[in-house]
Amino acid sequence: MKKTFSLMLLALLALGCSDKAAYKLAKMDHFIEGLMKKMTLEEKVGQLNLPVAGDIVTGEGKSVGVEDRIAKGEVGGLFNVKGAAAIRRYQEIAVEQSRLGIPLIFGMDVIHGYETTFPIPLGLSCTWDMEAVEESAHIAAVEASADGIAWTFSPMVDLGRDPRWGRVSEGSGEDPYLNARIAEAMVYGYQGRPGEQFTSNDEIMACVKHFALYGGAEAGRDYNTVDMSHQRMFNEYMTGYKAAADAGAGSFMASFNVVDDVPASVNKWLLTDVLREQWGWDGFVVSDYTGISECIMHGVGDYHEVGVRSLNAGMDMDMVAEALFTQTIPGIKNGEVSRKTLDRAVRRVLEAKYKLGLFDDPYKFCREQEAARVLYSDENRAIARRISGESYVLLRNEGGLLPLQRKGTIAVVGPLANTGTNMPGTWSVAAQHARTTTLLRGITEIAGQNVKVLYAKGSNLCSDYQLEMNSTMFGRELGRDSRTDKQLLDEALAVARKADVIIAALGESSEMSGEASSRTSLDIPDVQKDLLKALLKTGKPVVLVLFNGRPLTIQWESENVPAILDAWFGGTEAAYSIADVLFGDVNPSGKLTMTFPKNVGQVPIYYAHKNTGRPLDEGGWFMKFRSNYLDVDNDPVYPFGYGLSYTTFEYGPVSLSAPSMKEDGKIVASVEVKNTGSVAGKEIVQMYIRDVVASSSRPVRELKGFEKVLLQPGESKTVSFEIGVDALSFWNQEMKYVAEPGEFKVYIGGDSRTVNEASFELL
Ligand code: BGC
């Protein structure tokens, strides 16, 4: 034993590991090697088994008889169990009753916070604030880790360019660069910074999902076929996964979809060649919920075949399908899978448990007293309030209607106005839904004594009962009002007529986006739109507070409603932080991370598109034999990167430190930004680059840098971006990562349409 340890240590040192890291790795290898020698085949496949024991079930079938199975060593981990006490009970069975006492790993969908929830990820991305993103993930880890959770199924880094797909709400939008930055910030928030990961009790393991390309589902229909060129994959869709892998994420989750016609769960090219060999990543891969057995429906094999194929492809843990657990031993017996392959998967799962410190203390994450102190604490909620306030995007503000003054009468109207349970948004399984404040109450409290606040529901979510029921999950329905549409409307109009200003809280319910919540219409649902029109007809100023898990088609609203604040689903403190913004205590600073289309026919629409051979003239429409539509122009309602503030910003010209650079050199692009308004505000300064001529057609512009700056009234700051060769490189047709000599344009401004440009040459 001692000899193997020394040999391992020497090998690691030869590979260039630091003394300390090499010693730690060798110690882990030595421990796991010893443990695996004691394990039977049955105990080994048990480690690959991840049944669900909690109340949150997102597929078919709930695992039964879990306690007995844990005692027999048939379970490697459990997920979506809520509460340290319940988790401790399961862990005791594993540690005290199973033959080897191997601890379980407990996972959960801690997607945007735990009990204290932050904005849905799409909203969070609109902060463009990497410190805030990391902080939100860290607080999620602080709470979850005290309550028994060692492992979160987050970050979700699937690039989303089709708002019909309900899961764009769980991601960070349409941009490869921003997606990558957010992916790494999330991993740091959960696990700690590289070199220091899992060194404290409140760090949990990230699980990067869904690998890969899930956001490319055709027609935005969930779980649908994905098919794209390898250039698009690696230049656009893969950047988030890669960044998360480089940030040290401990685990990955395979996606439900096919990649190159092979379901991800059995795709060796994806799970082994790319993830482990090309990227050099060394964590463990878990399937998605019954992802392995769903390969039968994909038509690539029977239960036995898909189980064996999945393990051989590089899968290490099986969520709910039980295929690795039941099919591996028969597969070994008939020579389809080797013991070495099984051992490799078992080792990866045990390594994760080891890294998390579960062998030292299986109850490390069950800290009941601490849980009572940190869960949903005032301190965490205050941070959630601050961060959610930065996620809202002011889309329109005609005549400076916002911020509102603290006087007169305000009518708060709409089906989203008086619901707390919807505020946390989709995938908020541990949230305190029942304790979450309604917008009505938030506005009433923040408005203060001098304001009279009136309320009317105004309409149901939609007239279509079926649609409303389809978008109901976990009991978070809005509650259908039995009054007729007319009765609801009349009541709202009566209230509106008494008010000086109307706040219309409209849009989607929280479960109208998220998993299995695809839509073919992206309009604000019919009865709500009728309500909005009627409110506008009163002649009173209307502020639309929009709730949405995806871009909606709000062209009409953008032309007719004087003020629109996109509030997404802001989490636990949404009601207060929306009110903070409405009354100007917080100056809105969010900017869109997904393009808002004019209609569904324009989808997918994103700023970093290719030019085509027949581009339409900038701002033009319609031209025969050009790339455009007969019935609508090519412009979105709101572009990527867009968002207003209560102040205004002015940009100076882009200046470059040199007219050219060599491949190993750098250029600094700078711009002066001035706050020209009368209140302090934060501006997200964005830098885009265009490779003008290349061997492949390149996007018309791509985000390559951004910085969020706070400017006092009248204050100017010079914002600089260093451009290195990476910002100029792309995967070419031979799938080589290259930067090609020639002209590059640099654009710097406040959204993706900026024309503020300069150019330089790569020599
Ligand atoms: C989802 C995953 C999630 C899992 C476990 C699946 O349906 O696709 O994102 O982590 O369920 O709840």
Side-chain angles (χ1 to χ4, degrees):
M1 275 300 207
K2 262 197 186 140
K3 202 167 144 211
T4 50
F5 180 79
S6 316
L7 286 174
M8 209 121 54
L9 189 60
L10 284 174
L12 287 163
L13 287 169
L15 281 171
C17 269
S18 71
D19 289 3
K20 209 171 138 199
Y23 180 77
K24 261 172 92 175
L25 278 175
K27 205 171 146 202
M28 175 172 81
D29 272 350
H30 180 67
F31 174 83
I32 289 171
E33 203 59 50
L35 179 59
M36 283 179 60
K37 284 209 173 102
K38 295 186 210 148
M39 293 171 81
T40 62
L41 271 185
E42 287 72 16
E43 283 164 338
K44 285 183 179 174
V45 293
Q47 286 303 307
L48 313 186
N49 205 21
L50 181 69
V52 61
D55 304 324
I56 305 127
V57 176
T58 55
E60 279 175 21
K62 183 169 166 170
S63 313
V64 284
V66 178
E67 285 90 345
D68 284 350
R69 302 189 63 200
I70 298 173
K72 286 193 211 149
E74 295 181 358
V75 176
L78 287 176
F79 69 104
N80 288 351
V81 182
K82 173 76 171 68
I87 288 177
R88 184 182 282 277
R89 273 198 301 279
Y90 286 120
Q91 192 70 298
E92 273 166 5
I93 304 176
V95 173
E96 289 167 21
Q97 297 180 33
S98 76
R99 192 179 73 92
L100 292 172
I102 299 174
L104 301 172
I105 182 170
F106 290 89
M108 188 185 258
D109 289 284
V110 183
I111 307 295
H112 50 109
Y114 189 67
E115 286 201 3
T116 304
T117 53
F118 294 85
I120 55 167
L122 184 60
L124 188 63
S125 70
C126 293
T127 64
W128 296 60
D129 181 339
M130 298 308 107
E131 273 175 33
V133 169
E134 185 172 336
E135 191 179 10
S136 74
H138 179 63
I139 288 170
V142 166
E143 292 195 5
S145 66
D147 211 23
I149 304 299
W151 180 33
T152 172
F153 303 140
S154 170
M156 190 279 219
V157 301
D158 303 325
L159 196 82
R161 289 179 168 175
D162 190 332
R164 290 172 295 183
W165 190 50
R167 301 198 83 169
V168 297
S169 55
E170 294 175 56
S172 299
E174 72 181 45
D175 184 67
Y177 179 82
L178 182 62
N179 194 28
R181 298 290 74 77
I182 292 177
E184 64 199 17
M186 295 289 287
V187 173
Y188 296 157
Y190 291 133
Q191 299 191 168
R193 294 285 175 133
E196 299 161 8
Q197 293 178 338
F198 312 122
T199 48
S200 94
N201 270 351
D202 55 18
E203 285 160 351
I204 60 176
M205 190 168 277
C207 183
V208 181
K209 70 190 192 187
H210 306 81
F211 195 58
L213 323 177
Y214 186 16
E218 279 177 4
R221 202 183 73 210
D222 209 355
Y223 318 121
N224 204 4
T225 304
V226 172
D227 197 1
M228 67 176 73
S229 70
H230 280 223
Q231 286 105 298
R232 168 159 278 185
M233 262 185 216
F234 285 89
N235 285 322
E236 300 166 22
Y237 281 71
M238 286 293 197
T239 60
Y241 310 107
K242 172 76 165 55
D246 290 346
S251 69
F252 263 58
M253 186 186 291
S255 57
F256 286 126
N257 54 282
V258 294
V259 172
D260 286 338
D261 286 346
V262 178
S265 298
V266 293
N267 194 319
K268 177 176 171 297
W269 174 78
L270 189 68
L271 302 187
T272 298
D273 302 0
V274 173
L275 182 58
R276 301 179 193 282
E277 282 162 22
Q278 198 177 318
W279 294 356
W281 177 78
D282 69 351
F284 79 100
V285 178
V286 63
S287 78
D288 202 344
Y289 203 108
T290 57
I292 301 179
S293 51
E294 286 172 28
C295 291
I296 305 168
M297 296 307 286
H298 277 289
V300 297
D302 60 19
Y303 187 55
H304 175 71
E305 279 174 278
V306 299
V308 164
R309 204 172 150 188
S310 183
L311 189 69
N312 281 332
M315 187 71 77
D316 304 309
M317 208 178 214
D318 176 348
M319 190 189 283
V320 183
E322 308 256 347
L324 298 191
F325 177 68
T326 57
Q327 303 308 309
T328 301
I329 297 175
I332 289 176
K333 288 193 176 138
N334 60 28
E336 291 160 305
V337 57
S338 68
R339 280 173 186 261
K340 214 170 134 194
T341 303
L342 168 63
D343 282 356
R344 192 183 58 194
V346 175
R347 181 172 293 113
R348 287 176 185 148
V349 171
L350 294 176
E351 277 177 7
K353 294 180 178 181
Y354 185 96
K355 286 181 198 159
L356 282 164
L358 288 167
F359 285 106
D360 286 338
D361 178 4
Y363 308 103
K364 176 180 165 189
F365 298 102
C366 298
R367 302 188 301 273
E368 288 85 345
Q369 282 182 4
E370 193 177 325
R373 190 169 51 79
V374 298
L375 265 55
Y376 206 64
S377 67
D378 290 350
E379 194 187 340
N380 292 349
R381 288 171 55 192
I383 296 170
R385 178 165 169 179
R386 166 170 54 78
I387 293 178
S388 55
E390 291 208 27
S391 73
Y392 307 136
V393 184
L394 183 63
L395 296 174
R396 196 162 194 247
N397 194 15
E398 285 307 287
L401 173 55
L402 289 176
L404 299 175
Q405 295 185 1
R406 284 181 159 97
K407 61 178 196 203
T409 303
I410 296 177
V412 182
V413 178
L416 275 307
N418 199 18
T419 162
T421 54
N422 269 257
M423 296 298 104
T426 188
W427 272 126
S428 49
V429 297
Q432 289 276 1
H433 291 97
R435 288 166 74 185
T436 307
T437 310
T438 67
L439 181 63
L440 174 62
R441 185 156 152 221
I443 287 175
T444 310
E445 280 181 36
I446 301 298
Q449 313 243 311
N450 295 337
V451 180
K452 189 164 175 203
V453 179
L454 306 173
Y455 164 72
K457 183 169 181 181
S459 79
N460 278 312
L461 181 68
C462 43
S463 60
D464 182 347
Y465 179 74
Q466 191 59 45
L467 173 61
E468 182 160 345
M469 288 307 113
N470 288 353
S471 21
T472 295
M473 209 179 164
F474 307 129
R476 289 205 278 283
E477 60 271 22
L478 291 176
R480 217 165 159 83
D481 205 296
S482 55
R483 287 173 287 175
T484 65
D485 289 350
K486 182 160 183 321
Q487 284 168 329
L488 286 165
L489 186 62
D490 286 348
E491 183 195 48
L493 290 178
V495 162
R497 282 191 200 102
K498 289 187 208 140
D500 301 305
V501 59
I502 302 164
I503 296 175
L506 309 177
E508 298 186 307
S509 64
S510 66
E511 299 310 321
M512 268 174 102
S513 63
E515 187 170 354
S517 293
S518 297
R519 293 180 67 193
T520 62
S521 159
L522 299 177
D523 290 343
I524 292 178
D526 48 10
V527 277
Q528 295 190 59
K529 201 154 168 172
D530 293 343
L531 168 65
L532 182 62
K533 285 183 176 165
L535 293 173
L536 285 163
K537 271 204 190 131
T538 62
K540 300 282 166 90
V542 176
V543 178
L544 169 59
V545 176
L546 191 63
F547 291 92
N548 50 333
R550 52 155 67 86
L552 297 178
T553 44
I554 50 166
Q555 186 177 8
W556 185 89
E557 292 78 355
S558 75
E559 287 162 3
N560 291 285
V561 185
I564 307 176
L565 181 71
D566 195 333
W568 312 109
F569 290 95
T572 299
E573 298 304 298
Y576 295 112
S577 53
I578 292 171
D580 290 339
V581 169
L582 292 176
F583 290 101
D585 299 342
V586 169
N587 187 353
S589 62
K591 299 236 188 191
L592 296 179
T593 58
M594 262 189 104
T595 305
F596 272 47
K598 285 198 168 121
N599 62 30
V600 174
Q602 285 185 322
V603 169
I605 179 171
Y606 49 93
Y607 83 92
H609 60 84
K610 306 277 166 67
N611 205 30
T612 81
R614 294 185 175 192
L616 187 67
D617 290 344
E618 195 62 44
W621 177 69
F622 161 85
M623 285 171 79
K624 194 69 181 166
F625 307 121
R626 290 274 142 188
S627 179
N628 58 181
Y629 301 99
L630 292 177
D631 53 353
V632 67
D633 63 33
N634 290 354
D635 293 329
V637 179
Y638 297 114
F640 176 85
Y642 172 86
L644 302 173
S645 162
Y646 293 151
T647 188
T648 44
F649 299 99
E650 207 176 80
Y651 282 79
V654 179
S655 72
L656 298 175
S657 58
S660 63
M661 69 176 257
K662 292 195 188 134
E663 231 190 281
D664 58 357
K666 296 223 176 300
I667 275 193
V668 178
S670 311
V671 83
E672 195 173 88
V673 190
K674 184 171 184 195
N675 179 347
T676 48
S678 55
V679 287
K682 287 182 182 168
E683 169 70 337
I684 298 160
V685 183
Q686 302 157 42
M687 178 188 70
Y688 298 85
I689 290 184
R690 177 174 191 171
D691 187 348
V692 182
V693 179
S695 56
S696 301
S697 181
R698 304 291 302 126
V700 293
R701 59 180 62 186
E702 294 173 286
L703 182 76
K704 293 292 175 184
F706 58 87
E707 197 179 319
K708 193 165 186 174
V709 288
L710 169 67
L711 292 171
Q712 299 302 324
E715 188 188 351
S716 302
K717 258 187 201 159
T718 299
V719 178
S720 299
F721 299 97
E722 208 177 71
I723 302 169
V725 72
D726 198 43
L728 313 178
S729 302
F730 67 100
W731 292 92
N732 69 9
Q733 204 179 11
E734 284 81 50
M735 289 312 290
K736 295 209 170 82
Y737 193 60
V738 293
E740 296 179 347
E743 187 192 353
F744 287 84
K745 284 191 175 169
V746 183
Y747 305 85
I748 304 182
D751 68 48
S752 61
R753 278 185 312 201
T754 179
V755 289
N756 193 19
E757 66 167 85
S759 58
F760 69 90
E761 210 179 330
L762 176 68
L763 301 171

